[in-house]
Amino acid sequence: MSRIPPLGDDDMTEAARASRALLGAYGPFDNWARIAAHSPAVLEHVAEMLTAFKAQENLPRRALELAMVTVSKLNACDYCVSHHTPQLTVTGLSPDGAARLPDVENHPELDDCDKAVVRYAEAVTTRSGRMRDAEVSDLRAWFNDSQIVELTWRIALTGAFNRFNDALQVEIETEIAPVSA
């Protein structure tokens, strides 16, 4: 049970209802939106940012999902792992392959780019202040600076979502199959 009660539609501000609908177009995050609606500015800015990212399609979906699942597994966030593992399998990774993350050594389903993304997500998540320059420059074989900036932001943002979801015990939506981190 969530630590903060989800708001019903009648209890939300008009702005929060609009942001919830916008986020709903991004994905099935209704439980998250109903809790975030307690702070309409949080819900509004997150919904606008995520839908803007989706519209610009700056990053390959596989790289993004690899990063988000890796971070969420490192942080043991069942909510985010449950939401993003199916998205990762849509990009061609098997459920068993997703379960192996963040282990990339001898991973038969990951190419060099995939492995670089997973390693980078791990580095940003566990030792961002102690990273080597090469960990960023190594990504340039596959990504431009704009993509590296967005990938880094999305990795950090996933960590924030993990903490928010776990601290407030946001429940996984019923249409999402639970996947343990």
Side-chain angles (χ1 to χ4, degrees), residues 4 10 13 16 19 42 48 58 60 69-70 74 108 119 133 147 173:
I4 302 290
D10 293 340
T13 65
S19 296
V42 169
E48 287 178 4
N58 188 40
V69 170
T70 296
L74 289 168
R119 287 181 181 123
D133 290 343
Q147 292 172 312
E173 286 74 7

Side-chain angles (χ1 to χ4, degrees), residues 5-121:
L7 290 179
D9 292 348
D10 293 340
D11 298 320
M12 289 183 206
T13 65
E14 185 176 329
R17 282 193 300 275
S19 296
R20 180 179 150 262
L22 184 62
L23 187 61
Y26 179 79
F29 299 100
D30 196 55
N31 292 346
W32 188 94
R34 289 181 180 281
I35 290 172
H38 283 278
S39 177
V42 169
L43 179 55
E44 175 185 347
H45 291 290
V46 166
E48 287 178 4
M49 180 176 42
L50 292 178
T51 55
F53 280 141
K54 188 174 186 176
Q56 76 179 11
E57 296 180 340
N58 188 40
L59 282 172
R61 191 76 195 164
R62 183 174 172 105
L64 180 58
E65 296 298 340
L66 277 166
M68 290 191 291
V69 170
T70 296
V71 172
S72 298
K73 287 178 74 80
L74 289 168
N75 290 326
C77 180
D78 289 344
Y79 183 92
C80 291
V81 170
S82 295
H83 276 79
H84 291 284
T85 296
Q87 298 304 315
L88 185 54
T89 60
V90 166
T91 69
L93 199 67
S94 72
D96 288 339
R100 276 186 72 169
L101 296 173
D103 177 24
V104 297
E105 298 311 317
N106 302 311
H107 196 302
E109 297 180 54
L110 301 181
D111 63 22
D112 289 341
C113 177
D114 295 338
K115 290 177 181 182
V117 167
V118 171
R119 287 181 181 123
Y120 186 68

Side-chain angles (χ1 to χ4, degrees), residues 112-135:
D112 289 341
C113 177
D114 295 338
K115 290 177 181 182
V117 167
V118 171
R119 287 181 181 123
Y120 186 68
E122 184 274 330
V124 171
T125 302
T126 64
R127 53 188 175 75
S128 59
R130 297 179 313 281
M131 289 173 52
R132 295 172 285 116
D133 290 343
E135 290 176 292

